[in-house]
Amino acid sequence: MKYIYLAGLSFLSLNLFAQKSPLKEEVAKKANAIEQKVITWRRDFHEHPELGNTEVRTAGIIAKHLESLGIQVTTGVAKTGVVGVLKGGKPGPVVALRADMDGLPVVERVDLPFASKVKTQYNGQEVGVMHACGHDSHVAILMGGAEVLSTMKKDIPGTVKFIFQPAEEGVSAGEEGGAALMIKEGVLENPKVDVIFGLHINSQTEVGNVTYRPGGTMAAVNDMKITVTGRQAHGAYPWSSIDPIVTSAQIINNLQTIVSRNLNVTENPGVVTIGAINGGIRSNIIPEKVEMLGTVRNFSQEDEAMFIARIKTIATKTAEANGATAEVKIPYSNHYPVTFNNVALTEKMLPSMQATAGKDHVLLRPPVTGAEDFSFFQEKIPGLFVFLGGMPKGKDPLKAPSHHTPDFYLDESGFVLGVKLLSNLTLDYLAMKK
């Protein structure tokens, strides 16, 4: 029988180690005991969501909880972030665990007693605020993990750093935030972090399951702004205009040829989406200008460079053909790299995931064209980012409301598995290194 060796350990020995870890039963017992507490935290955060870089209330609750556990706490990191440091009873490496805190400008439509009714201003408009991506559950799960691990402090051979991160969903143009700003402010130093783990709840994965992918698991993302300028005219006399609306329509259609004709889809997926188009004020005026906002997703630096070049060429040349001009800003306000799971780390920790969730409930997944700024951490240190099931058992994934929608819904019975998973990944990694 052949075994693949990683850092001196065969998969057989890794499996045996993960399954025989003496702390597994203790983690399970402690996590089960605080399950309702985790759910209560999540419901509170869900009812009181905050947009990126404004998570003041959320941060205060987190900091108070960590301090009650005897964990060293730093607040105000990257504006509203909270970092906790738990020094184990024995020397060893430093493991970081990360949860994102921000909500989205979405009006909740789910009939829940703790549904959000929060309103705020965003990009000059009054909007609803909702945890429509599950960050409320991430915070509650990591708070639970911190409580479990703090009670096992004397047995921890190393240090655990708990990173509660603001603004994962991005920031407005000209503003800093999120993982990139946390790194800039030194979150991976003092003590220096060796490895980082994170998870994301998924509303279309059945509760009880964990999914993962070695290598590129989530796409790199660039947002873009395309401004098309023509000549204004009366809507009754279009021949007097250079119509930026017709030009923009042609640009939008032509951009789709990048995926269908320029991308080798047998190697990597890619996406070009225009999500907003704004131009004109009334029916009988052809406007001078149209602005479009969009997103671009790729899984390699080569594809990313090709997409950007083609977007600029298509937009400017299509506009030129119509007598108009097009200005392309890409990235406009946000860029995230590929969320890349360190292959050796992923394989090394697979037995730990299987021992926690059950081998049949840890599933390999295809690439995800969503993006995550956890990727900035992974550019600096080895990292593993996995997905936790949050869909009720037996539900059709195609009919389950997706993330970033008003009907987004999570089955709370899956949260306790997240607490166990983060705790066991931490303890197993530290024990291996010991």
Side-chain angles (χ1 to χ4, degrees):
M1 183 180 292
K2 294 182 179 179
Y3 302 116
I4 300 173
Y5 283 82
L6 292 168
L9 290 173
S10 71
F11 280 136
L12 177 61
S13 62
L14 285 170
N15 250 315
L16 291 174
F17 173 82
Q19 292 168 1
K20 292 184 177 179
S21 171
L23 299 179
K24 283 281 189 305
E25 289 186 9
E26 189 175 350
V27 165
K29 181 179 178 181
K30 292 178 182 293
N32 289 336
I34 63 168
E35 179 179 11
Q36 190 54 52
K37 187 186 290 189
V38 171
I39 291 171
T40 300
W41 285 326
R42 182 262 172 164
R43 291 183 178 184
D44 179 66
F45 294 134
H46 190 86
E47 190 172 358
H48 303 95
E50 298 167 299
L51 295 180
N53 284 346
T54 68
E55 307 94 336
V56 176
R57 180 184 183 276
T58 304
I61 294 170
I62 294 166
K64 184 177 180 180
H65 175 63
L66 296 183
E67 288 168 351
S68 74
L69 301 174
I71 292 173
Q72 177 187 332
V73 176
T74 304
T75 59
V77 183
K79 300 186 178 178
T80 55
V82 179
V83 179
V85 176
L86 176 66
K87 294 182 179 179
K90 304 169 187 177
V94 179
V95 171
L97 301 175
R98 176 272 206 168
D100 39 12
M101 306 191 298
D102 53 327
L104 286 159
V106 174
V107 177
E108 182 156 16
R109 204 158 50 197
V110 187
D111 184 16
L112 294 171
F114 52 91
S116 170
K117 295 178 175 60
V118 174
K119 304 281 186 184
T120 192
Q121 291 291 314
Y122 180 73
N123 282 347
Q125 301 180 50
E126 184 179 76
V127 296
V129 186
M130 176 188 176
H131 272 296
C133 201
H135 296 187
D136 51 347
S137 65
H138 303 165
V139 173
I141 287 168
L142 187 53
M143 287 171 66
E147 183 159 336
V148 169
L149 291 170
S150 69
T151 65
M152 307 168 76
K153 178 178 178 179
K154 63 181 176 57
D155 297 313
I156 295 177
T159 298
V160 187
K161 185 175 281 191
F162 303 96
I163 299 174
F164 292 87
Q165 179 208 306
E168 189 281 325
E169 297 290 356
V171 294
S172 300
E175 189 177 351
E176 285 188 290
L181 184 56
M182 292 198 99
I183 293 167
K184 182 179 177 180
E185 294 186 2
V187 75
L188 297 180
E189 307 296 331
N190 301 317
K192 184 175 178 60
V193 178
D194 296 289
V195 68
I196 187 166
F197 299 115
L199 60 75
H200 203 300
I201 200 86
N202 188 272
S203 66
Q204 294 168 307
T205 297
E206 190 170 83
V207 70
N209 289 336
V210 175
T211 64
Y212 76 101
R213 183 175 187 82
T217 187
M218 298 186 77
V221 60
N222 286 282
D223 67 348
M224 63 179 168
K225 180 179 182 181
I226 302 175
T227 304
V228 180
T229 304
R231 184 168 64 236
Q232 188 162 322
H234 195 299
Y237 313 113
W239 50 85
S240 299
S241 76
I242 297 175
D243 193 333
I245 291 181
V246 171
T247 301
S248 297
Q250 293 173 357
I251 290 172
I252 292 169
N253 284 334
N254 292 342
L255 289 177
Q256 302 314 306
T257 64
I258 300 173
V259 174
S260 66
R261 290 297 177 269
N262 302 135
L263 178 67
N264 184 342
V265 294
T266 65
E267 292 180 354
N268 286 314
V271 172
V272 179
T273 293
I274 297 297
I277 177 168
N278 297 290
I281 193 67
R282 57 178 292 162
S283 63
N284 64 346
I285 299 176
I286 295 172
E288 182 180 47
K289 187 179 294 184
V290 169
E291 291 183 344
M292 294 180 280
L293 299 175
T295 186
V296 184
R297 312 284 170 133
N298 303 103
F299 281 87
S300 74
Q301 291 181 337
E302 294 77 16
D303 287 345
E304 182 179 53
M306 182 270 287
F307 270 51
I308 291 173
R310 290 292 294 138
I311 288 167
K312 290 180 176 179
T313 298
I314 287 171
T316 57
K317 296 303 181 183
T318 301
E320 184 181 322
N322 288 348
T325 61
E327 179 187 19
V328 180
K329 294 182 179 179
I330 179 170
Y332 172 54
S333 63
N334 288 295
H335 166 260
Y336 295 173
V338 173
T339 304
F340 190 90
N341 283 334
N342 182 280
V343 176
L345 177 65
T346 304
E347 293 178 335
K348 187 181 293 186
M349 302 315 299
L350 179 58
S352 182
M353 292 190 286
Q354 291 174 335
T356 302
K359 190 172 183 179
D360 293 339
H361 294 282
V362 179
L363 311 170
L364 187 67
R365 70 175 301 147
V368 179
T369 49
E372 244 289 347
D373 77 348
F374 187 84
S375 53
F376 286 108
F377 296 118
Q378 293 173 312
E379 283 191 319
K380 301 296 183 182
I381 57 175
L384 172 61
F385 192 74
V386 301
F387 297 87
L388 178 71
M391 182 184 74
K393 287 182 181 291
K395 193 173 182 65
D396 182 351
L398 297 177
K399 295 180 180 178
S402 66
H403 294 239
H404 290 217
T405 67
D407 302 306
F408 176 78
Y409 175 81
L410 294 176
D411 185 331
E412 297 171 328
S413 68
F415 298 170
V416 69
L417 175 58
V419 175
K420 296 173 185 176
L421 187 63
L422 290 180
S423 301
N424 285 332
L425 285 171
T426 300
L427 293 170
D428 286 345
Y429 178 85
L430 291 174
M432 286 180 208
K433 289 298 178 180
K434 184 184 71 171

